[in-house]
Amino acid sequence: MIRNALLALIPASLLLAAPAAAQEQTILPGYWDVTNKVSAIISQTKTEKRCITPAEVSKFVMGPSNRHYKCDYPTRVFKDGKIRLKGNCATKNGSQAALEATGTYSPTTFTMNAKISTTYAGVPLSGLATTTAKRISDTCPAAPPAS
């Protein structure tokens, strides 16, 4: 239960905040291999291959808030291959977590490490989350035909 409360505040792939206004080119669209690891009470790792379209680049790098949480980042820097984010996320039920992330990016790679701090029933909890991604192709595989 505590783990789930903390995980609810950790975006699945460190997609950390609503897309910002135009940023410098960060990553190239294409087919990406993405690994997300969360270490909070227990560790969980998920790897997926995913298509990132030109319209989704900012969303992937800067991340969406979603129906589970909303994040605000007063510090949001993506410049010269370096990433720095600092802010807070909140769930609909009011649970809050502070998040601080750093990382690097190139047109074909992306790495971000985040420290998350929250409390559950008055007990301080912390966790680490890492996203690593590598572009594996300029183009995405064709979608399977609908059945």
Side-chain angles (χ1 to χ4, degrees):
M1 181 129 166
I2 294 171
R3 178 182 148 279
N4 290 342
L6 184 58
L7 291 176
L9 290 169
I10 303 170
S13 56
L14 293 180
L15 303 180
L16 298 170
Q23 297 285 327
E24 73 174 56
Q25 176 63 46
T26 52
I27 65 169
L28 293 172
Y31 199 46
W32 285 74
D33 187 48
V34 181
T35 299
N36 300 296
K37 182 176 183 179
V38 177
S39 298
I41 301 174
I42 63 169
S43 292
Q44 180 178 333
T45 301
K46 179 181 177 187
T47 299
E48 67 180 333
K49 292 194 178 13
R50 112 173 239 205
C51 186
I52 300 175
T53 67
E56 295 170 329
V57 166
S58 180
K59 185 178 178 179
F60 177 81
V61 175
M62 299 303 283
S65 290
N66 69 24
R67 61 189 171 103
H68 300 292
Y69 56 86
K70 180 181 183 320
C71 299
D72 294 306
Y73 290 91
T75 301
R76 185 184 325 196
V77 178
F78 279 73
K79 187 171 183 176
D80 300 326
K82 295 190 171 123
I83 303 164
R84 188 168 53 97
L85 297 170
K86 186 174 182 179
N88 294 289
C89 295
T91 63
K92 285 184 178 179
N93 70 6
S95 297
Q96 300 214 6
L99 191 143
E100 202 167 328
T102 59
T104 59
Y105 66 89
S106 74
T108 59
T109 62
F110 179 90
T111 300
M112 189 180 306
N113 300 300
K115 296 177 189 173
I116 302 100
S117 301
T118 190
T119 59
Y120 182 77
V123 177
L125 299 172
S126 63
L128 301 174
T130 302
T131 295
T132 56
K134 181 175 178 157
R135 187 170 181 251
I136 53 179
S137 175
D138 294 347
T139 57
C140 298
S147 32

